[in-house]
Amino acid sequence: MSPRVRKANLVLHVICSVTWLGLDVGLLTLTLTGLTTDDTTTLRAAYVAMRLFGDVLLVPVALLALTTGVVLSLGTHWGLTRHLWVLVKLVLTLVAGTLTIFSLRPGLHEAARAALGTPADHGSWDLLAPPVVSMTMYVTMTVLSYYKPWGRTPWARRAR
C-alpha cells in the first residue's frame, strides 16, 4: 500500500472509530436523559433519537471502522494476525459490531416503540449497559493502538 493510500485509509479509520465512540456517548446521554426526566415528551424524543442513531448511523460506521481497520492491517507491516494487539482489536470490533447489529438495534427499536405506545414515566435501565460496555471496548482499542502491547502472535513467530 502506498504511503498516500495508507494515510488516507488511516484518516478514514480514525474518523470512523471516533464517530463510533461519539455515537456511543450520544446514546449514553440519551439513555441517562430518559432515565432521569419526568417529562414524557423528552423521554419519547430521547428514545426515538436513539432508534435513529441505531438505524441510520451505527451500522454503517461500525462496518466502515471494521473495513478500514482490516485494510490497514493487511496493507501494512502490522498484519491481521502478526501482532496480538491487532488481533484483539479485530475481535473486539467484531464483537462490538455484532452486538450493535443483533442486540442493541432491536433493543433501541423496542424502547422507542414502548415509549411511543404507552404513557412513559421513566426510561429503561436495560439501555444503559450497551453504551457503557461499548465505550469500554473502544477505549481499550484506543489504548491498544497507542501502546501496541504484547508483541507478535505464535503464528507470526512460526512464519519467520
Side-chain angles (χ1 to χ4, degrees), residues 21-160:
L21 178 60
L23 287 169
D24 254 11
V25 170
L27 285 174
L28 180 60
T29 303
L30 290 169
T31 300
L32 292 173
T33 299
L35 290 171
T36 58
T37 187
D38 291 329
D39 181 37
T40 302
T41 304
T42 300
L43 179 122
R44 288 178 174 162
Y47 280 24
V48 169
M50 290 169 66
R51 185 185 68 201
L52 289 173
F53 274 32
D55 286 345
V56 177
L57 298 171
L58 279 172
V59 173
V61 167
L63 292 175
L64 267 172
L66 173 64
T67 303
T68 56
V70 168
V71 168
L72 269 174
S73 65
L74 293 175
T76 64
H77 70 280
W78 296 110
L80 196 56
T81 61
R82 285 187 206 135
H83 296 271
L84 192 54
W85 69 271
V86 176
L87 198 53
V88 169
K89 277 187 66 175
L90 174 64
V91 169
L92 288 174
T93 302
L94 288 170
V95 168
T98 301
L99 289 174
T100 295
I101 293 168
F102 297 110
S103 183
L104 177 62
R105 283 186 64 239
L108 295 177
H109 282 230
E110 180 59 34
R113 192 171 24 258
L116 289 172
T118 60
D121 56 359
H122 58 81
S124 172
W125 286 96
D126 295 342
L127 295 175
L128 190 58
V132 171
V133 170
S134 296
M135 286 192 314
T136 302
M137 292 171 73
Y138 306 147
V139 169
T140 300
M141 288 187 266
T142 301
V143 169
L144 291 175
S145 294
Y146 185 78
Y147 287 103
K148 298 171 180 47
W150 305 317
R152 298 171 71 83
T153 64
W155 308 286
R157 282 178 262 199
R158 272 185 253 151
R160 278 186 135 193

